[in-house]
Amino acid sequence: MTQPTAFSAAGDTTAPEWWRSAVIYQIYPRSFADANGDGVGDLAGIASRMDALENLGVDAVWLSPFMRSPQKDAGYDVTDYMSVDPLFGTIDDFDAMLASAHQRGIKVIVDLVPNHSSDTHEWFIEALAAAPGSPERGRYLFRDGKGENGELPPNNWESVFGGPAWTRTTNPDGTPGEWFLHLFDSTQPDFDWTNPEVREMFRGVLRFWLDRGVDGFRVDVAHGMIKAEGLPDYTPNPGGGSMGGDDFEVPYWGQEGVHEIYRDWHKVLAEYEGDRVLAAEAWINPLSKMAKWVRPDEMHQAFNFPYLETAWDAQALRPVIDESLEAFGAVGAPATWVLSNHDVVRHASRLALTAENPQGHGIGPKSPGQPMREVGLQRARAASAFMLALPGGAYMYQGEELGLPEVINLPDEARQDPTWFRTNGERYGRDGCRVPLPWEPGTTAYGFNTTGEAWLPQPDDWDDYSRAAQQGVAGSTLTMYTTALELRKRLDLGLGSVTWVEDLPDTVIGFRNGDVIVLGNTATTDWEIPAELAELPVLLASTTIAGNILPGDATIWLQA
Ligand code: NOJ
């Protein structure tokens, strides 16, 4: 076979509706790069490493929250939506980071957390100080308890992080008062989105960031803002993931009323020049229902979690890809693809787990079905190479281009995810995918900073995963991603289509997109590529290819 070819194409990120084919890289600011050395990454750190993202070839970055917050849920608990937390820098640092991204043609998407605020938000402080029934309380969901003295929560809803979704307040005279709803931690009270004041406040938040020049928003819990009338009891499906996804009606997920909010936001974005994007984090099944979030007058993209939750298995992948293309295509939206983010076990470990692991639960030293690292890495590389050839938007999570595994052996005392505390350690939570990135081998904190501080401890054996150790090295995971992104752009795969290659064994999946034929072997054993395909030039391979053999857990791109 002929060897992989490298292209050096500069893509056009100024194209209209750039997001239809974009590769969007998630930056988790706490763990990306730490300029001031306090152990938590920051905006200046991101700006200082922008070259690496340009070299990788991403079209856009999405930043997880960096707004003022007590960090009870790593910034998904916002005190002030129009600010930068001093932990991450200043608003000037934000502007500088944005400018440095834009200079390189990289778009910037910020995270918006509209379902709930922090309990330190001035509105919640005012609400607690005000009387039941007051306008201040009306911005959140306060209710009387059940039982003779209101001692029972208003309904039986459970927090996504474990435990009840209600916390009781204390009146100024010390007596127990009303309860407030928090679908997540008790420090994250849910807004009442039927209140026009809440809607107006968030229009202002959108405009604040759009005025600064951001290219869009990733919308947190975009399926949760409206609750069913009367807040009826609901008992979740015991096998289900934590963030929704049930096929049947849940009174706090996927209520029809949320769509009105996105139609309104769509209009706000349309007031601005250029194509700005709204990306929904909506854990909704089936995909045909999720596609409602991206109807032409609503949001632009929705994370494809059913794809993320699919095993590396030819028989499972084909139907979810067909369903995605059909469901998103039916509303005129691009499909999206994602394998990792800051809420799930990194796919270099997840794809090799041998036991069930519901979303959000995480893995730790005592979890069953521990992954084998080498198997996980090979599978992750194969799955990523496969995903990056699909048409539509592709989301990456920082570190996956390095093949980073989940950090399983974090000491208990280092864990910070509220899930860990709210379940008394029964669920490890999400810290294992959030450990600060390795940049250089053999240096303090692997170059994350120069002080050696790290808000979560980095493992001792990460030298080989570091970016500098992989940069320009043939066969490294970073080189594979860089080549895949170059080819994807050069050959316009993001705007292409899928035609399945038929008559393959059950464990092999293949499709043609434009001039590229992609073959994935999801078995653990070799597969002999048929002669008519084997003679085609190889553009990309997730592993070393010898002769006509596609090894197990491998993907290859062939020039058709
Ligand atoms: C989804 C975010 O991705 C997650 O990290 C966060 O904990 C919850 N929403 C609550 O905001």
Side-chain angles (χ1 to χ4, degrees):
M1 284 190 158
T2 36
Q3 286 313 297
T5 332
F7 292 98
S8 58
D12 182 9
T13 52
T14 58
E17 304 199 323
W18 56 272
W19 39 269
R20 286 192 175 271
S21 57
V23 175
I24 302 175
Y25 180 97
Q26 180 187 357
I27 293 181
Y28 196 63
R30 304 174 71 81
S31 301
F32 189 72
D34 177 20
N36 72 358
D38 64 355
V40 179
D42 44 43
L43 295 169
I46 298 171
S48 74
R49 296 290 191 177
M50 204 56 84
D51 283 347
L53 300 179
E54 187 181 15
N55 288 339
L56 177 59
V58 301
D59 300 304
V61 291
W62 142 38
L63 269 63
S64 279
F66 50 81
M67 296 81 190
R68 206 147 61 75
S69 157
Q71 306 291 322
K72 291 285 167 46
D73 183 22
Y76 283 92
D77 49 322
V78 179
T79 309
D80 178 354
Y81 289 89
M82 295 181 276
S83 70
V84 169
D85 195 296
L87 194 58
F88 299 110
T90 63
I91 196 77
D92 289 343
D93 292 335
F94 176 81
D95 290 342
M97 185 278 306
L98 184 72
S100 106
H102 281 171
Q103 272 158 20
R104 291 166 174 80
I106 298 174
K107 308 268 184 193
V108 176
I109 294 172
V110 297
D111 217 309
L112 188 71
V113 188
N115 178 67
H116 46 265
S117 69
S118 160
D119 62 355
T120 60
H121 191 285
E122 62 174 353
W123 276 8
F124 194 71
I125 293 171
E126 284 170 19
L128 285 183
S134 61
E136 287 82 359
R137 290 217 168 172
R139 296 160 176 158
Y140 292 90
L141 289 157
F142 284 87
R143 294 289 183 275
D144 284 330
K146 285 185 178 160
E148 226 168 284
N149 301 304
E151 69 282 10
L152 300 172
N155 68 24
N156 70 351
W157 297 358
E158 282 178 22
S159 151
V160 169
F161 295 154
W166 294 91
T167 291
R168 196 166 192 187
T169 60
T170 306
N171 294 319
D173 65 0
T175 56
E178 286 187 315
W179 298 70
F180 66 90
L181 177 71
H182 50 88
L183 289 182
F184 295 88
D185 190 53
S186 56
T187 60
Q188 294 168 294
D190 281 45
F191 284 113
D192 183 349
W193 269 89
T194 63
N195 184 332
E197 240 191 307
V198 172
R199 293 186 185 224
E200 193 48 36
M201 194 265 269
F202 274 95
R203 279 184 209 114
V205 173
L206 292 174
R207 291 199 175 100
F208 175 83
W209 293 107
L210 290 166
D211 287 341
R212 299 206 92 80
V214 304
D215 301 288
F217 302 90
R218 174 265 188 192
V219 180
D220 191 63
V221 199
H223 57 318
M225 286 135 77
I226 297 288
K227 281 76 182 174
E229 184 90 47
L231 311 182
D233 274 352
Y234 167 69
T235 306
N237 174 4
S242 54
M243 210 101 86
D246 295 317
D247 290 336
F248 45 90
E249 283 296 304
V250 182
Y252 41 87
W253 299 142
Q255 294 294 307
E256 213 34 54
V258 294
H259 299 292
E260 210 184 290
I261 301 170
Y262 304 128
R263 285 189 201 107
D264 183 40
W265 289 8
H266 188 102
K267 290 187 203 134
V268 175
L269 264 68
E271 291 166 14
Y272 287 80
E273 279 200 357
D275 281 333
R276 323 263 178 148
V277 63
L278 289 169
E281 188 223 18
W283 291 83
I284 286 290
N285 273 337
L287 274 155
S288 55
K289 189 168 176 198
M290 190 200 276
K292 290 169 96 178
W293 271 248
V294 290
R295 286 176 292 195
D297 58 348
E298 297 195 32
M299 302 178 90
H300 305 88
Q301 287 192 336
F303 293 101
N304 191 339
F305 294 124
Y307 184 76
L308 181 151
E309 291 182 317
T310 303
W312 174 240
D313 169 0
Q315 295 301 302
L317 283 164
R318 182 164 166 168
V320 78
I321 293 168
D322 275 339
E323 202 188 328
S324 306
L325 293 168
E326 195 182 312
F328 291 121
V331 292
T336 64
W337 316 102
V338 59
L339 288 166
S340 277
N341 65 29
H342 65 294
D343 288 330
V344 300
V345 174
R346 281 187 176 277
H347 68 283
S349 300
R350 191 183 71 241
L351 295 176
L353 284 173
T354 56
E356 284 291 305
N357 186 264
Q359 180 270 322
H361 286 216
I363 48 171
K366 296 193 193 124
S367 303
Q370 297 278 326
M372 282 169 66
R373 196 179 269 201
E374 201 40 42
V375 174
L377 180 60
Q378 285 313 310
R379 234 168 246 173
R381 289 173 56 129
S384 299
F386 187 85
M387 174 183 93
L388 291 170
L390 288 167
Y395 278 85
M396 290 174 56
Y397 175 51
Q398 67 178 39
E400 70 172 78
E401 75 279 21
L402 306 175
L404 280 192
E406 185 83 357
V407 180
I408 298 171
N409 290 312
L410 280 174
D412 287 357
E413 58 283 5
R415 293 192 184 273
Q416 305 208 16
D417 185 348
T419 309
W420 166 256
F421 299 105
R422 290 185 63 88
T423 62
N424 294 319
E426 192 194 307
R427 296 186 209 159
Y428 286 102
R430 303 158 295 174
D431 292 316
C433 65
R434 298 175 173 183
V435 172
L437 289 190
W439 291 88
E440 283 107 30
T443 53
T444 318
Y446 302 103
F448 169 63
N449 57 25
T450 53
T451 58
E453 298 290 319
W455 72 280
L456 286 172
Q458 298 166 297
D460 294 335
D461 58 354
W462 268 14
D463 272 347
D464 292 347
Y465 290 105
S466 66
R467 190 168 307 256
Q470 299 193 43
Q471 189 81 48
V473 174
S476 73
T477 305
L478 181 60
T479 298
M480 185 198 85
Y481 266 84
T482 310
T483 311
L485 264 53
E486 281 171 353
L487 286 165
R488 180 186 160 88
K489 202 166 281 179
R490 170 86 162 86
L491 303 174
D492 232 354
L493 300 184
L495 292 177
S497 59
V498 167
T499 307
W500 294 110
V501 177
E502 302 293 353
D503 303 322
L504 296 171
D506 284 354
T507 48
V508 176
I509 179 163
F511 66 90
R512 180 172 179 156
N513 180 0
D515 290 337
V516 180
I517 291 178
V518 178
L519 297 168
N521 180 4
T522 67
T524 51
T525 47
D526 290 351
W527 173 61
E528 193 177 327
I529 303 174
E532 68 278 14
L533 291 172
E535 68 194 17
L536 301 174
V538 178
L539 295 171
L540 181 89
S542 69
T543 191
T544 313
I545 305 288
N548 295 352
I549 298 300
L550 183 61
D553 289 332
T555 293
I556 198 168
W557 294 14
L558 303 171
Q559 168 99 59

